[in-house]
Amino acid sequence: MSTNPDPASAQTFMVVATLRDDTDMAEFAALRDDEHKQLEVLRSDRKIGAHYVSPARRATFIEVIAADEKQVTETLATLPFARFFDADVYPTTPPDAAEVAHRTRS
């Protein structure tokens, strides 16, 4: 299991994940509470930032704070919904000084 990234050196990644067509929606719904609980754990560990859902597009957008893409994949694998989505990971620009200061204070 990876440790929490150092706020000053961590990179932000945007994950765009699309719900698979073969998803069992009853199973998906049954795991909703577990998914929300794990998202809260990851937020408190500063591994997840923003999280948005677009039901109309069957997509979710998750900001992941990690040292590298391998750590992003490890973080996503802890989510109960991970198996229902095809995810694309996009590295974003490194945080500027203000963002680093904010992460260090948080």
Side-chain angles (χ1 to χ4, degrees):
M1 182 66 104
S2 296
T3 59
N4 294 349
D6 172 33
S9 64
Q11 185 173 351
T12 301
F13 297 83
M14 183 54 66
V15 177
V16 179
T18 307
L19 193 64
R20 292 187 182 123
D21 289 335
D22 64 349
T23 297
D24 177 336
M25 295 310 288
E27 184 181 2
F28 185 83
L31 290 171
R32 187 173 310 279
D33 287 342
D34 293 337
E35 176 79 0
H36 290 292
K37 288 176 188 171
Q38 182 61 14
L39 282 168
E40 287 306 314
V41 167
L42 294 171
R43 277 190 192 101
S44 69
D45 288 345
R46 296 187 179 125
K47 292 183 177 185
I48 294 279
H51 176 233
Y52 301 98
V53 177
S54 174
R57 293 289 184 106
R58 298 172 52 102
T60 188
F61 306 87
I62 305 172
E63 177 187 37
V64 180
I65 301 163
D68 53 35
E69 286 192 42
K70 180 178 184 270
Q71 198 174 61
V72 171
T73 302
E74 291 170 356
T75 297
L76 293 174
T78 69
L79 291 167
F81 282 0
R83 67 177 178 253
F84 302 118
F85 286 89
D86 291 319
D88 290 314
V89 177
Y90 298 90
T92 63
T93 56
D96 61 18
E99 179 62 19
V100 170
H102 171 72
R103 289 181 185 178
T104 303
R105 284 191 308 268
S106 297

